[in-house]
Amino acid sequence: MRTTKWQMARFSIVFLGSQTTMFMIPDLIESSSYQGWYGLLIGGCLALITLFFTIQVGKLNPDAGWVDFGAEIMGKWVHRVMVIVLLCWCIYYTAFDIENFVLFFGANYLRNTPHLFIQILTGLVIMYTAHLGLASIIYMSEGIALIFIFSTILSIYLFIQNANSSMLPAFIHYHDAHTIFRDSITGISWFGEWVVFLFIAPELKFSNQMMKRLSAASILLLAIVLLGWLMTMLNFGPHLGKEMWYPYLELIRSHSNDELLGNTDPLLIGIWSASMFIHSSFMIYAAYKCTLYLTKQKMKNFLIPILTGCSITIAYLYSKNLEMFTTVYYAFNTVLIWIAVELIPMYYFIVAMLRMKLGKKLK
């Protein structure tokens, strides 16, 4: 696979941006109002720690995938438990993606369409994309990343013209340590999904150069989300802003009289839909690699449909109780579980360093 490190950087923007740009902003506004930017900045920067450990673990054996050499670090049974945890996390996260997609289109464009039909159709697209493999998923994100960056920056520039700048002093007058801490932890969970990047090896080798490029991509995405949060606050305020599930879309609709902005609604929806499919497809691809390890390469042709079917089933069950879905999706306990999974590379790196030091002492 001929994939460059900058391609991986652009892929990471699409992968992480599919969720943060759409769903993190209303959560921040509801939890912390004017001081949300503190948690966003701190959490986004701390999420680079998970990237650091992911790169370091990948560098321990550049010629093999983590799922194959991890048992040498943690032991066979502990490694199998970690793989199972990551497998379940990928399936569950994909279910969240599917249900969010269904809620978005069901509420805006397909109001009389059964949710199960949209879930199955969405699952088929995710299944097909995951079946194409890592290279195809990365190549698909190439054009989307550039359009995503430029369209977001252009939209934010246009939104500034109608922003209420008189709110700006409020952003530095409110300080609550508990809220900032909580938002920072939440920010880590949104920006720290680097653990699944362990599955790009051995097709693409980890290096310090990759660390720099992925860090730059993460910082760029953080700036985009921060500006999106700022524009939502300055255009709608904290009370109306927290009621919006899709702030970027509402910003565009609020400028429907503007000839330029009024025509960007389909573009924004298309970019988010494509990025969501890429995010879910890579999650299913990672789950597929985990299952291959656990089943010792058995049933290879049936694993991706089975895994996608599990995600569709979970999404369908959530569609029967939307209040539970919303509660679970934004719950702080969910945030803690997400971070525990995202820190899997840290566990392996610490154990590897301890084993290396103990080995030297024994010698």
Side-chain angles (χ1 to χ4, degrees), residues 152-190:
T152 303
I153 293 175
L154 176 61
S155 299
I156 290 172
Y157 170 74
L158 295 172
F159 293 143
I160 291 176
Q161 301 175 21
N162 296 315
N164 183 8
S165 59
S166 62
M167 290 187 188
L168 289 175
F171 295 147
I172 59 175
H173 289 164
Y174 291 91
H175 306 280
D176 181 70
H178 175 75
T179 302
I180 293 173
F181 174 78
R182 187 185 178 92
D183 286 346
S184 299
I185 298 298
T186 302
I188 295 173
S189 70
W190 286 99

Side-chain angles (χ1 to χ4, degrees), residues 59-338:
K59 287 167 59 178
L60 293 176
N61 192 344
D63 297 321
W66 161 81
V67 73
D68 296 315
F69 71 80
E72 300 174 9
I73 299 174
M74 300 291 282
K76 179 180 177 180
W77 293 108
V78 175
H79 180 60
R80 288 179 71 87
V81 171
M82 291 293 186
V83 173
I84 292 173
V85 169
L86 189 56
L87 166 65
C88 296
W89 181 73
C90 290
I91 293 174
Y92 212 83
Y93 206 155
T94 304
F96 279 171
D97 283 352
I98 294 174
E99 184 58 19
N100 277 323
F101 190 81
V102 169
L103 290 176
F104 176 80
F105 276 91
N108 292 280
Y109 303 101
L110 303 172
R111 295 182 181 179
N112 296 321
T113 306
H115 282 191
L116 182 59
F117 176 78
I118 306 176
Q119 289 162 351
I120 293 175
L121 190 62
T122 305
L124 289 174
V125 176
I126 294 170
M127 180 177 64
Y128 176 73
T129 308
H131 179 74
L132 294 176
L134 177 62
S136 297
I137 294 174
I138 293 176
Y139 291 149
M140 288 178 187
S141 66
E142 279 287 279
I144 298 173
L146 298 177
I147 297 174
F148 170 78
I149 293 171
F150 288 118
S151 63
T152 303
I153 293 175
L154 176 61
S155 299
I156 290 172
Y157 170 74
L158 295 172
F159 293 143
I160 291 176
Q161 301 175 21
N162 296 315
N164 183 8
S165 59
S166 62
M167 290 187 188
L168 289 175
F171 295 147
I172 59 175
H173 289 164
Y174 291 91
H175 306 280
D176 181 70
H178 175 75
T179 302
I180 293 173
F181 174 78
R182 187 185 178 92
D183 286 346
S184 299
I185 298 298
T186 302
I188 295 173
S189 70
W190 286 99
F191 288 100
E193 299 172 19
W194 299 104
V195 58
V196 289
F197 278 63
L198 289 171
F199 294 95
I200 67 174
E203 285 84 356
L204 190 63
K205 295 185 178 181
F206 290 91
S207 65
N208 292 331
Q209 289 298 319
M210 182 183 291
M211 174 71 186
K212 293 178 182 178
R213 285 166 173 76
L214 293 182
S215 297
S218 182
I219 292 172
L220 175 60
L221 178 62
L222 174 60
I224 290 174
V225 176
L226 180 60
L227 287 172
W229 172 87
L230 181 63
M231 290 301 101
T232 303
M233 288 290 294
L234 294 182
N235 279 269
F236 298 118
H239 301 293
L240 181 58
K242 69 180 181 181
E243 300 296 330
M244 297 178 178
W245 276 52
Y246 315 108
Y248 281 118
L249 186 61
E250 295 300 335
L251 279 170
I252 289 177
R253 287 175 174 173
S254 68
H255 293 75
S256 58
N257 295 328
D258 190 303
E259 189 171 325
L260 178 60
L261 281 177
N263 295 321
T264 57
D265 190 348
L267 175 63
L268 178 65
I269 295 169
I271 293 173
W272 177 70
S273 299
S275 62
M276 191 281 294
F277 285 129
I278 288 175
H279 182 275
S280 300
S281 299
F282 191 53
M283 284 290 182
I284 292 295
Y285 174 80
Y288 168 70
K289 288 291 188 179
C290 291
T291 311
L292 280 180
Y293 172 79
L294 295 171
T295 60
K296 299 181 180 179
Q297 307 291 320
K298 295 178 181 178
M299 300 174 61
K300 294 177 64 174
N301 296 330
F302 302 98
L303 290 179
I304 289 180
I306 291 173
L307 295 170
T308 308
C310 291
S311 295
I312 294 174
T313 302
I314 297 172
Y316 174 74
L317 294 174
Y318 270 129
S319 67
K320 295 296 183 180
N321 191 338
L322 295 181
E323 184 178 353
M324 178 182 290
F325 172 74
T326 304
T327 301
V328 172
Y329 189 75
Y330 290 109
F332 193 66
N333 288 336
T334 303
V335 169
L336 297 178
I337 293 172
W338 251 234

